[in-house]
Amino acid sequence: MEDRISRIIIVGGGSAGWLSAAVIAAEHRIDSQAQQPFELVLIESPDIPTIGVGEGTWPSMRATLQRIGLSETDFIRECDASFKQGTWFRDWHTGNGDTYSHPFTVPVDYADTNLAPHWLALTDAPQFADAVTPQTALFTDCLAPKQITTPEYAFAVNYGYHLDAGKFSELLRQHCTEQLGVKHIKANVSQINAAENGDIQSVTTDCAGDMAGDLFIDCTGTKSLLLGEHFKVPFQSQQAYLFNDTALAAQVPYAEEDQAIRSCTQSTAQTAGWIWDIGLSTRRGIGHVYSSAHISNDEATAQLLAYIKETAGDEAAASVTPREIRFQPGHRQEFWHRNCVAIGMSSGFIEPLEASALVMVELAAGMIAEQLPRTREIMDIVARRYNRKFERHWNQIIEFLKLHYVLSARDDSPYWRDNHTAESIPEKLSEQLLLWRYRSPWHQDAETVHDLFPTASYQYILYGMGFETVPRYTSSRQQGPQQRMASELFRKNAARANQLQQALPGNRELLNKVREFGFQKL
Ligand SMILES: Cc1cc2nc3c(=O)[nH]c(=O)nc-3n(C[C@H](O)[C@H](O)[C@H](O)COP(=O)(O)OP(=O)(O)OC[C@H]3O[C@@H](n4cnc5c(N)ncnc54)[C@H](O)[C@@H]3O)c2cc1C
C-alpha cells in the first residue's frame, strides 16, 4: 500500500498530546516488536508551558486509564488525585444560598423507570438528586466512592477524579515513552511544510530538523499551530451564548493536615461568573471564571479572595497570587482537515463548568485509535465522520452549559440578565425547554447512543434548579401501581444512601490508605 499511514506526529505535550499518544499507542501496541504498524512521535516545546489547569475529569477517565494500562494506585499517588463524584452548585438558582447537585450516578432504575414525573407529583419531596441517587448524601459527607478493598477502577458508586494537570502530563509522558513505544522529541516547531497536494508533509523544528509524517495531530493548545495557523480553519466564537472568557486560578493549602476533602467539585455562582473549588489530596484548586465584559479584573480578584478568605481563612487569602488565563469560548469550524486533526485546546475550549475538555480529548483519541485510517484515501472518509460527530458534541456542550444559566432566576447583575435574553439562548435549547414544560426529558430525548450528556444529566440540572414540568400523573392516578412502584424506589434509594454512609470511608481517609497500601490490582 503506497500511501500507507506509517508515521503519526503529535505536536504538543500537554494533557491532550500525551493522552492522545497513550490511547493510540495502547490500542495499536506500537511497542510490540512483532508488529510495528506505525511510528508515533510526540514533539513538545521545551519553552512553551502547558495550560496546567484541567483539574476535574468525568468517570470515563477510569476506563481510559485502564485502557492505556496505568495502575490506579500509581495514578492517584503521582497526580495528587482525589475522587470526584459530581458537582455541587451553590447560588446558581436564586443567589441566596440555594444549592443543588449534579452527581455522576444515574437515578435508581434509570434503564426502566423515569422517576422525574413521580418526583414532581410529590409534595415535601427531598431535592430531586437526593431522592433518586445515594451519591449526593456521600459527597455532602465528604465520603469516598469505594473502599480500600475495592479493586482498582471498580466502585460502590460511579466516580471520576480531581487531579494535578501538570503531574498528569508528566506521568503520561513517562508511561508513553517507557511502556508504549512513543518517541519523544523536545523541540520547537517553527514551520509547517506543505506537500504538493496541500497536505502537511513535515514540520521543521529548531533542534531536531524536519519531521515528516502521514497524519499530524495538533495538540498545541490555544495556538492551534497546524489546524488554525497553517490551515486557517476558521474559529467559531460561541461568546454570544456563553460569555465567560477569563479565569483566575489559585492554589490554596489545606488549613489542617487532616482536613476533610470534598468528593465533588463545588461551583459557587458570582455576579459575573462562578468560582470552582476542587480538593486534591495535597491542596485545593480554587478559581474564578468570569465574563470580562461584565466585571473588571480587580473586582473578579476581590470576589475570589473573599471566597478564599471565607472558606480557607485570612492567611490563605493573603498568600495566594491568582494566575490570569484568558480564552475565547468557541471551537474550530472543523477539527480534522486534510491530514491534520486538532485535539484539546487547539480544537476549541469553552468554560470548565462541567469539566468537559478532557473527556473530549478521551473521545477524540478513542475515535482516532479505533478508526485509524490505514491509507490516505480512507483518511478523508474518517475525517468527515469525525467532524460530524465532534460538531454534535460541541453543540451539546454549548446547549448543556447554557442550560445552567437559562434556568437561573438571578437578575441581580447585568450578567444574569444578559444570560436570559432570547438571542443568547441556542434555538435548540429553547425548543427543548418548551417541550420539557409538558413532559420530563427521558431516553427518547437522546439523539444518539453516544450523546455526551445523558438525559439523566438534564434531569439533574432542570429539577435541581426548580424547573417545572406539568406533572404527568393526576392525583387519582397517584394511587396507581406506577406511583407505588416509584415510592418503593425512593424508599430503596434512601435506605441505600444510609447503608453506604455507614460503610464508606472518608475521601481523605481512603486517599491516605491508597498512598500507603495501594488498591488491589484487577
Ligand atoms: C481555567 C481552566 C479550567 C479548566 N478546567 C478543566 C477541568 O476542570 N476539566 C477539564 O477536563 N479540562 C479543564 N480545562 C481544560 C484543560 O486544561 C485542557 O483541555 C487540557 O489541559 C488540554 O490542554 P492542551 O494539551 O490542549 O493544551 P496545553 O496544555 O496548552 O499544551 C500545549 C502544548 O503544545 C506545545 N506547543 C505549543 N506550541 C508549540 C510549538 N511551536 N512547538 C512545539 N510544541 C508546542 C506546548 O509546549 C504544550 O506542550 C480547563 C482549562 C482552563 C483554561
Side-chain angles (χ1 to χ4, degrees), residues 11-18 43-58 84 165 169 187-190 218-223 225 246-249 265 276 278 288-289 325-327 343-352 354-361:
V11 185
S15 315
W18 284 116
I43 308 172
E44 174 187 17
S45 164
D47 309 314
I48 304 168
T50 60
I51 189 123
V53 195
E55 296 185 322
T57 83
W58 284 21
K84 171 176 174 178
S169 292
N188 286 294
V189 169
S190 52
D218 183 349
C219 295
T220 57
T222 48
K223 210 180 262 291
L225 200 60
T246 311
L248 293 167
T265 297
W276 76 79
I278 281 174
H288 189 181
V289 58
I325 303 161
R326 298 191 74 100
F327 58 89
I343 301 185
M345 304 288 281
S346 61
S347 65
F349 178 66
I350 294 186
E351 61 156 289
E354 287 283 356
S356 49
L358 287 175
V359 68
M360 286 283 271
V361 173

Side-chain angles (χ1 to χ4, degrees), residues 36-249:
Q36 282 279 0
F38 54 82
E39 190 184 16
L40 185 49
V41 181
L42 186 144
I43 308 172
E44 174 187 17
S45 164
D47 309 314
I48 304 168
T50 60
I51 189 123
V53 195
E55 296 185 322
T57 83
W58 284 21
S60 56
M61 187 58 83
R62 294 200 328 273
T64 299
L65 296 178
Q66 220 175 341
R67 184 176 183 180
I68 65 176
L70 260 181
S71 125
E72 187 175 30
T73 301
D74 292 347
F75 164 73
I76 286 175
R77 286 177 180 163
E78 300 297 323
C79 303
D80 298 342
S82 62
F83 304 106
K84 171 176 174 178
Q85 300 189 49
T87 304
W88 185 72
F89 295 92
R90 184 158 64 118
D91 283 340
W92 275 83
H93 188 209
T94 61
N96 295 323
D98 59 276
T99 63
Y100 80 96
S101 310
H102 177 192
F104 284 152
T105 299
V106 295
V108 55
D109 202 35
Y110 179 64
D112 297 321
T113 309
N114 185 359
L115 280 176
H118 299 285
W119 175 81
L120 284 160
L122 298 175
T123 47
D124 294 334
Q127 283 206 344
F128 177 70
D130 299 345
V132 301
T133 164
Q135 189 144 44
T136 49
L138 306 182
F139 59 68
T140 305
D141 289 354
C142 300
L143 296 179
K146 63 196 286 184
Q147 293 168 315
I148 189 69
T149 47
T150 317
E152 292 208 329
Y153 300 117
F155 60 77
V157 285
N158 199 13
Y159 68 91
Y161 305 101
H162 290 136
L163 54 82
D164 178 316
K167 292 187 174 179
F168 186 44
S169 292
E170 181 50 28
L171 177 68
L172 290 168
R173 181 198 62 73
Q174 204 181 340
H175 186 65
C176 280
T177 52
E178 292 174 9
Q179 306 293 328
L180 297 173
V182 178
K183 292 204 172 120
H184 182 202
I185 292 176
K186 279 207 151 196
N188 286 294
V189 169
S190 52
Q191 191 176 302
I192 318 292
N193 308 306
E196 267 179 25
N197 67 356
D199 280 2
I200 295 175
Q201 181 168 329
S202 64
V203 291
T204 301
T205 66
D206 57 356
C207 55
D210 280 6
M211 302 287 306
D214 305 298
L215 172 64
F216 289 82
I217 304 185
D218 183 349
C219 295
T220 57
T222 48
K223 210 180 262 291
S224 195
L225 200 60
L226 284 69
L227 192 80
E229 285 190 15
H230 173 73
F231 277 127
K232 308 224 173 319
V233 170
F235 181 82
Q236 294 188 330
S237 171
Q238 301 296 334
Q239 202 156 10
Y241 303 125
L242 292 159
F243 310 147
N244 294 344
D245 60 2
T246 311
L248 293 167

